[in-house]
Amino acid sequence: MARRSSKADPSGQRRHGPRDAARGILPDFQGREADIARIEKLLDHVGDGGKALLISGEAGIGKTTLLEFAQVFARQRGFRVLYMSGVIAEAHLPFAALQQAVGPILRQAEKLPQRQHAALLAAFGLGDDTTVPDTFLVALATLTLLTESAVRKPILLVADDIQWLDQPSHDVLSFISRRLSSDPIVLLMAARSDSEEAFPHWSVPRHQLSRLDAAAAERLLDAESPDLPLDLRQRFLDVAAGNPLALVELPRGERKPETGESHWVPLTDRLERAFFSRVSVLPTATRALLLIIAENDSRSIREVLDAGEVLLHEKVALETLAPAASARLIEIAAGEVRFRHPLVRSAIHQASSPVMRHNIHAALSRVIIDEPDRRIWHRMASAVGPDEALAAELDAAAARSQRRGALATAITAL
Ligand SMILES: Nc1ncnc2c1ncn2[C@@H]1O[C@H](COP(=O)(O)OP(=O)(O)OP(=O)(O)O)[C@@H](O)[C@H]1O
Ligand SMILES: [Mg+2]
């Protein structure tokens, strides 16, 4: 079994500067030089006026990590750091996120004009006023408070997961983001890239976090899991596709090499949650088609739609897939469909029940006409017990693939 050692610095980077600071926070931190440089530049030029930046990227790509670095870099430069984060469970609580950020400087609100002060207190459930506060007044009060405070110390306002902000906090942040030009305030936000339609009117510059390149991905996996067998290491690299969360989490998943499911890489709960969350909100028929795409061994849209009709007993059209395409889970082109990230496929597979998977394979075996080997494979995957006729067909399929030299297919089928 091949083993890899790792804790050295194979990148050969000089060990000082921002990368070094990043490593101090997260020892196995890899890549991201350009992303860090962009954030440092924002902080270093805060004297030229306020700026806002929205960092976007897929689940687990490293948005929160980058925001954490930004907070450390900002404190090193003498900034006051204010922080809020959208939380699904609090998305229905008005001003919950804003209170998190403004809480530490709320005492200074006493100097605000009286109506703004009262609105802010009412927003946070403080003071005597029990009427619903005017969001515009709260936004104005927050902006005044920030700009007054920034006179003494520049401010970094961090807002993570803004796709899950409660609506009033979202509106206040949007208001502030357009009015930062003359004050030493940096507003750094992060959102999942599939949620960007939630901010159609935001004119803030965006910074897309890309997947780690192959070398950085390898360094991260080797640092986290130095003892992986080479074949497993390669599978993790393939499935992770440069996603740091996956590179950290995949080796922690339960391994079941002895089961018939061994071609699927098991995901930890954290990974499954991260990549399945967008699926769970889709319409039932769309989810059924996604399950079919996940279990199918071809990219044909025709097959997916045909199998969908068998499975759902109703007419299914390409539009049924539209919500999944809008959520950026899949890509459709030239009669083919594929997941944008292999982890979505794994998460969908893992979240489905064995009975559902059986039904999907049965549906696929009914719609695949011209490829007997594939049809038999799906029939096999849908069989619930021993079936002599199926076993004979399987022998024939294995012999056929052997004749074609496709030994691997034969072995898998047997
Ligand atoms: N460049 C990197 N090098 C090494 N590890 C990283 C890197 N970026 C992120 N990680 C690790 O990957 C994991 C996921 O990162 P993070 O939580 O920042 O992702 P995220 O984009 O905020 O995800 P989500 O969309 O779920 O909020 C964390 O464990 C983090 O430590
Ligand atoms: Mg995050």
Side-chain angles (χ1 to χ4, degrees):
M1 180 188 295
R3 287 179 191 278
R4 310 184 60 86
S5 77
S6 68
K7 294 282 174 188
D9 181 4
S11 68
Q13 303 270 346
R14 282 185 304 155
R15 292 185 63 82
H16 58 77
R19 187 184 175 80
D20 224 19
R23 283 227 171 110
I25 306 163
L26 187 62
D28 292 334
F29 187 72
Q30 306 295 340
R32 299 271 177 255
E33 284 83 3
D35 310 290
I36 289 181
R38 181 156 186 191
I39 288 176
E40 290 211 301
K41 194 167 162 202
L42 274 185
L43 297 173
D44 288 337
H45 288 82
V46 71
D48 304 342
K51 291 274 184 318
L53 185 67
L54 172 57
I55 297 167
S56 73
E58 67 192 23
I61 201 69
K63 302 176 294 295
T64 300
T65 306
L66 208 56
L67 292 182
E68 282 167 6
F69 290 169
Q71 293 171 63
V72 173
F73 299 156
R75 287 200 183 93
Q76 285 169 347
R77 288 165 170 77
F79 280 61
R80 177 194 290 281
V81 176
L82 301 172
Y83 173 89
M84 69 168 92
S85 172
V87 181
I88 296 178
E90 293 187 1
H92 63 288
L93 299 177
F95 300 108
L98 187 67
Q99 184 181 28
Q100 197 187 0
V102 171
I105 53 170
L106 197 55
R107 288 231 311 231
Q108 299 170 28
E110 285 164 9
K111 297 184 199 127
L112 290 175
Q114 197 276 330
R115 285 184 65 216
Q116 292 184 28
H117 186 208
L120 207 53
L121 292 183
F124 301 156
L126 306 167
D128 306 326
D129 194 352
T130 52
T131 54
V132 177
D134 176 344
T135 304
F136 173 71
L137 270 183
V138 176
L140 206 56
T142 306
L143 183 66
T144 317
L145 195 57
L146 290 174
T147 51
E148 290 293 320
S149 178
V151 172
R152 288 184 288 282
K153 250 183 174 194
I155 288 180
L156 170 66
L157 174 57
V158 171
D160 198 2
D161 286 328
I162 63 169
Q163 72 276 4
W164 293 321
L165 288 180
D166 60 89
Q167 192 59 44
S169 296
H170 172 112
D171 294 343
V172 170
L173 205 59
S174 167
F175 176 89
I176 292 170
S177 72
R178 291 190 296 274
R179 290 169 177 77
L180 290 177
S181 56
S182 56
D183 302 292
I185 300 172
V186 172
L187 169 59
L188 264 187
M189 298 170 281
R192 290 207 175 153
S193 38
D194 50 76
S195 64
E196 280 179 33
E197 65 276 11
F199 329 112
H201 309 301
W202 289 46
S203 52
V204 172
R206 311 211 168 181
H207 182 80
Q208 182 75 31
L209 269 195
S210 50
R211 296 172 183 176
L212 296 183
D213 63 31
E218 288 183 26
R219 287 199 300 273
L220 177 53
L221 184 62
D222 293 342
E224 288 284 327
S225 308
D227 296 326
L228 285 176
L230 276 183
D231 56 344
L232 204 53
R233 174 179 180 269
Q234 192 52 52
R235 276 173 64 201
F236 289 161
L237 287 171
D238 291 344
V239 175
N243 182 289
L245 178 68
L247 291 162
V248 172
E249 289 284 315
L250 282 174
R252 297 178 188 168
E254 202 187 342
R255 288 182 214 146
K256 304 178 203 157
E258 72 285 358
T259 70
E261 295 268 284
S262 59
H263 56 286
W264 289 98
V265 179
L267 308 191
T268 59
D269 286 350
R270 187 176 171 204
L271 258 185
E272 190 185 317
R273 266 199 313 278
F275 283 87
F276 192 71
S277 60
R278 281 175 289 159
V279 179
S280 49
V281 296
L282 295 174
T284 312
T286 309
R287 282 163 57 181
L289 295 193
L290 288 183
L291 277 166
I292 296 171
I293 299 168
E295 301 301 328
N296 198 5
D297 57 331
S298 121
R299 291 184 179 174
S300 157
I301 294 189
R302 188 67 271 149
E303 273 179 26
V304 170
L305 298 183
D306 290 349
E309 292 193 355
V310 172
L311 191 74
L312 298 167
H313 307 291
E314 63 183 46
K315 198 94 194 106
V316 171
L318 195 55
E319 290 76 61
T320 313
L321 279 174
S326 307
R328 298 172 70 163
L329 288 161
I330 52 169
E331 278 172 341
I332 298 174
E336 297 201 331
V337 58
R338 67 180 193 92
F339 289 106
R340 291 176 70 103
H341 199 292
L343 282 167
V344 175
R345 182 172 185 224
S346 303
I348 288 174
H349 169 82
Q350 192 158 308
S352 63
S353 71
V355 173
M356 189 57 164
R357 281 180 233 148
H358 277 244
N359 293 343
I360 285 169
H361 287 295
L364 279 166
S365 73
R366 283 181 53 190
V367 301
I368 297 171
I369 308 293
D370 300 330
E371 297 169 89
D373 291 0
R374 288 188 56 229
R375 196 177 60 232
I376 190 93
W377 187 84
H378 285 288
R379 272 186 64 199
M380 191 181 70
S382 68
V384 276
D387 181 332
E388 277 183 29
L390 186 59
E393 281 188 54
L394 208 53
D395 283 344
R400 269 197 306 274
S401 45
Q402 238 163 358
R403 272 202 301 281
R404 286 197 307 264
L407 195 59
T409 315
I411 290 167
T412 313
L414 288 167

